[in-house]
Amino acid sequence: MPERVTVTVNGARVDVACGSTVAVAMILAGQPCRASVNGESRGPLCAMGICFECCVAINGVPHRRSCQVFCENGMEVRTDG
Amino acid sequence: MAKFDRARFDVLVIGGGPAGLAAASRAGQHGATVGIVDDNPKLGGQIWRATCEQEHPQTARWSEQLRRANVTVFAGTRVLHQIEPGVLLAEQMQSAHELRYDKLVLATGARERFLPFPGWTLPNVFGAGGLQAMVKCGLPVIGKRVLVAGSGPLLLAVAAYLRNCGARILMICEQTSARALAQFGLSLWREPAKLAQAFRLKKDLAGIPFATRSWPVEAHGSEALESVAISRGGKGEAIACDYLACGFHLIPNTELAALLGCTIENGYVSVSDLQETSVPGVFCAGEPTGIGGVELALIEGQIAGLVAAGQIADARQLSRQRRKALCFARGLEQTFKLNPELQKLAKAETIVCRCEDVTYSRLRPYHSWTAAKLQTRCGMGACQGRVCGPATQFLFKWNPDSVRPPIFPARVESLALRATAATNS
Ligand SMILES: Cc1cc2nc3c(=O)[nH]c(=O)nc-3n(C[C@H](O)[C@H](O)[C@H](O)COP(=O)(O)OP(=O)(O)OC[C@H]3O[C@@H](n4cnc5c(N)ncnc54)[C@H](O)[C@@H]3O)c2cc1C
Ligand code: FES
């Protein structure tokens, strides 16, 4: 069994495999990553750092590309925007 | 506290995929001081992306060579800007770097091409390589119903990978025709290695419906994806699914090459048979010179690394292999050319620019990308047109305009740190 890490997404605890990106935690939490200019919910598209649809706030820092950041125990993640 | 570092290399390589790894290790073997930079937190590029559990065995093999050659690795680091010729600015999460070089190898790879259709902005509509990358990064897909669609050999690789991870692949929709594929299949006979690869995949893909001249017409769902309407050889069909993995072949990442002033022709960086660009001392290898797959990337990377380290005779020994692999690349381009019918997928209210929510009907009146950008903010968002640029090029035949630095949105302090460091020195 691979090790697990726990983060919070919009306040709720999410348990993911060690080495998962924050984008994965957002999908598992069933939460959108960001709200678009017109308020639509958006989630990851490219998973390689180019589309910026996966931007979230991580530990209070906004606009972080969640597909490029690994989950760490205790990380606080929030939907961006 | 954010910090600012300086470093200098005989050969600096941008991109840690197959091409970059090959270039850095070959240059390093010949005594050059070498640095390699990649935006991803781990080396390997697209095809050798690490999974949660482990590094890809190929990445491990090349990384060992990098260690032996004392190559400095900057992972999780993206190059933003050319400060002056021979000096690049890069940023990490907590720091900025000024990287000086004698010779530069650009191995920046490719990204997927996305085409707008109604509903493509719904959560759980991914790129094809995008969903594969998410799964490698920990997303479980056991029992998930996945529709794979778009164009290119990547669709097959993705479907095989996802199925091996436990997903139920409902169908693969390929936009090109069965005839174009058959012609390509015939040409594979001249490429025994590719043929073996195709056969291996065929076993992995047994039983999955493969539909040609087929594409998604609309994705439906209230909060996230629930089903996809497809056109299958001209007939409509609805498919209920959890994830749509959809990408229309690949687009080279040429932004950095363009910023440095390298000549770009028909969307690709022009290179000599020694991988030299039009800018002296700057080489380019892998997907930016033409979408040719991993074998060509490895050959080009080795040539670029050897020539950058002054080993021209060794590099020339790879010429024949390079020419053969190039033929395959040309075949790919012909086979997966986009069907003009796909231009009709975007409807008036379909969002084309996802960063700024600009719809098709707002873009339609303009005659150029530049005019549309100024008037609608299309392409002015965070992705800087990496998604909507290739889409509008296909939809409206607009040409991309010149690249402006920084080539990725930079943290303000990276630029400020560099300014402070410059005043202090
Ligand atoms: C999403 C995706 C998935 C793919 N999956 C497969 C597959 O499963 N099987 C297969 O046969 N082929 C696959 N391909 C095709 C694959 O890209 C090529 O066969 C091969 O990886 C090309 O190697 P490369 O070194 O040219 O580029 P890449 O592997 O794309 O490597 C380029 C690297 O450059 C980095 N980079 C780019 N710009 C910058 C910058 N400014 N600063 C820092 N770093 C930068 C990127 O982060 C990337 O890691 C995939 C392509 C994509 C886009
Ligand atoms: S999903 Fe595209 S940048 Fe993260």
Side-chain angles (χ1 to χ4, degrees):
Chain A
M1 202 44 201
E3 254 183 89
R4 312 287 296 176
V5 291
T6 306
V7 300
T8 65
V9 172
N10 296 333
R13 288 162 60 95
V14 185
D15 192 45
V16 297
C18 189
S20 297
T21 56
V22 175
V24 167
M26 297 305 285
I27 305 254
L28 292 180
Q31 296 288 314
C33 292
R34 71 174 193 107
S36 77
V37 175
N38 293 342
E40 283 184 11
S41 294
R42 296 284 167 77
L45 174 70
C46 72
M48 58 179 283
I50 63 136
C51 73
F52 290 74
E53 287 285 38
C54 67
C55 284
V56 296
I58 300 179
N59 294 336
V61 183
H63 313 318
R64 298 287 313 280
R65 292 172 301 166
S66 60
C67 70
Q68 300 296 90
V69 181
F70 293 119
C71 288
E72 285 167 19
N73 266 322
M75 226 174 211
E76 274 181 39
V77 189
R78 295 203 159 266
T79 294
D80 213 7
Chain B
M1 180 63 199
K3 62 181 181 30
F4 186 80
D5 281 333
R6 287 199 170 98
R8 197 211 144 270
F9 299 97
D10 297 334
V11 179
L12 179 66
V13 179
I14 314 301
L21 288 168
S25 73
R26 295 298 257 158
Q29 278 164 6
H30 291 279
T33 56
V34 180
I36 182 168
V37 183
D38 200 295
D39 185 23
N40 283 322
K42 290 179 187 160
L43 293 180
Q46 300 309 334
I47 180 167
W48 298 338
R49 181 182 287 276
T51 64
C52 270
E53 287 102 40
Q54 61 181 31
E55 200 173 32
H56 192 282
Q58 289 289 348
T59 315
R61 198 170 73 83
W62 285 98
S63 294
E64 177 53 32
Q65 298 202 22
L66 296 187
R67 263 190 297 278
R68 274 198 230 132
N70 275 324
V71 173
T72 310
V73 177
F74 298 86
T77 308
R78 51 184 174 164
V79 173
L80 300 174
H81 182 21
Q82 170 176 246
I83 296 168
E84 59 189 55
V87 190
L88 296 177
L89 177 69
E91 88 175 7
Q92 268 172 3
M93 196 130 66
Q94 300 288 344
S95 57
H97 298 262
E98 182 183 284
L99 303 171
R100 288 181 179 266
Y101 59 84
D102 267 358
K103 299 281 173 3
L104 182 70
V105 179
L106 301 173
T108 47
R111 57 180 182 263
E112 288 184 90
R113 171 162 47 205
F114 299 111
L115 296 181
F117 54 88
W120 75 302
T121 53
L122 275 174
N124 295 346
V125 175
F126 299 92
L131 183 56
Q132 181 187 41
M134 290 291 293
V135 174
K136 286 187 177 178
C137 293
L139 182 69
V141 282
I142 295 175
K144 294 285 182 195
R145 299 161 305 165
V146 181
L147 176 62
V148 177
S151 196
L154 181 57
L155 301 186
L156 304 179
V158 168
Y161 182 83
L162 296 177
R163 176 188 249 189
N164 285 334
C165 294
R168 271 178 58 204
I169 309 296
L170 305 173
M171 190 186 295
I172 301 172
C173 296
E174 164 61 63
Q175 60 86 31
T176 202
S177 66
R179 186 151 164 261
L181 280 176
Q183 278 166 357
F184 184 60
L186 286 180
S187 73
L188 281 180
W189 288 107
R190 282 182 248 124
E191 288 278 340
K194 299 275 178 208
L195 196 66
Q197 206 180 6
F199 276 129
R200 247 200 325 276
L201 277 181
K202 210 167 159 188
K203 202 174 90 230
D204 287 340
L205 296 171
I208 298 177
F210 181 79
T212 50
R213 281 185 59 83
S214 302
W215 45 76
V217 175
E218 183 161 5
H220 298 280
S222 50
E223 280 304 302
L225 181 71
E226 290 162 19
S227 70
V228 182
I230 63 163
S231 166
R232 183 179 186 176
K235 291 204 191 79
E237 208 171 298
I239 297 180
C241 58
D242 300 301
Y243 297 135
L244 171 59
C246 183
F248 292 85
H249 206 35
L250 304 178
I251 290 284
N253 294 323
T254 55
E255 290 75 12
L256 187 53
L259 184 73
L260 300 182
C262 302
T263 302
I264 295 179
E265 253 176 296
N266 299 325
Y268 299 112
V269 179
S270 304
V271 287
S272 70
D273 53 5
L274 294 177
Q275 307 304 134
E276 300 150 304
T277 68
S278 62
V279 176
V282 178
F283 300 81
C284 186
E287 306 286 46
T289 69
I291 303 300
V294 61
E295 278 172 61
L296 183 60
L298 283 171
I299 297 166
E300 290 194 350
Q302 294 187 67
I303 295 177
L306 286 166
V307 179
Q311 305 297 314
I312 294 173
D314 283 4
R316 288 221 187 268
Q317 296 195 339
L318 294 164
S319 304
R320 216 171 63 87
Q321 267 175 284
R322 178 178 182 270
R323 272 196 304 275
K324 250 177 80 185
L326 271 175
C327 287
F328 174 75
R330 292 206 191 96
L332 273 183
E333 181 152 343
Q334 270 307 310
T335 309
F336 298 103
K337 220 170 28 206
L338 294 181
N339 186 326
E341 284 289 306
L342 298 168
Q343 287 168 336
K344 300 183 194 147
L345 290 181
K347 303 293 176 234
E349 289 317 305
T350 305
I351 284 170
V352 174
C353 167
R354 303 170 63 120
C355 295
E356 299 287 335
D357 282 354
V358 185
T359 57
Y360 182 88
S361 60
R362 283 180 57 205
L363 293 172
R364 186 64 281 192
Y366 298 99
H367 295 288
S368 75
W369 172 239
T370 315
K373 272 171 96 166
L374 287 174
Q375 300 300 323
T376 68
R377 292 197 51 77
C378 176
M380 305 280 275
C383 91
Q384 302 190 347
R386 283 179 173 80
V387 176
C388 61
T392 56
Q393 204 171 2
F394 175 64
L395 291 175
F396 306 119
K397 305 273 172 276
W398 291 343
N399 290 319
D401 53 8
S402 59
V403 173
R404 285 204 198 86
I407 58 166
F408 280 107
R411 288 193 318 272
V412 179
E413 77 250 35
S414 293
L415 303 171
L417 278 168
R418 145 76 196 161
T420 326
T423 357
N424 293 345
S425 63

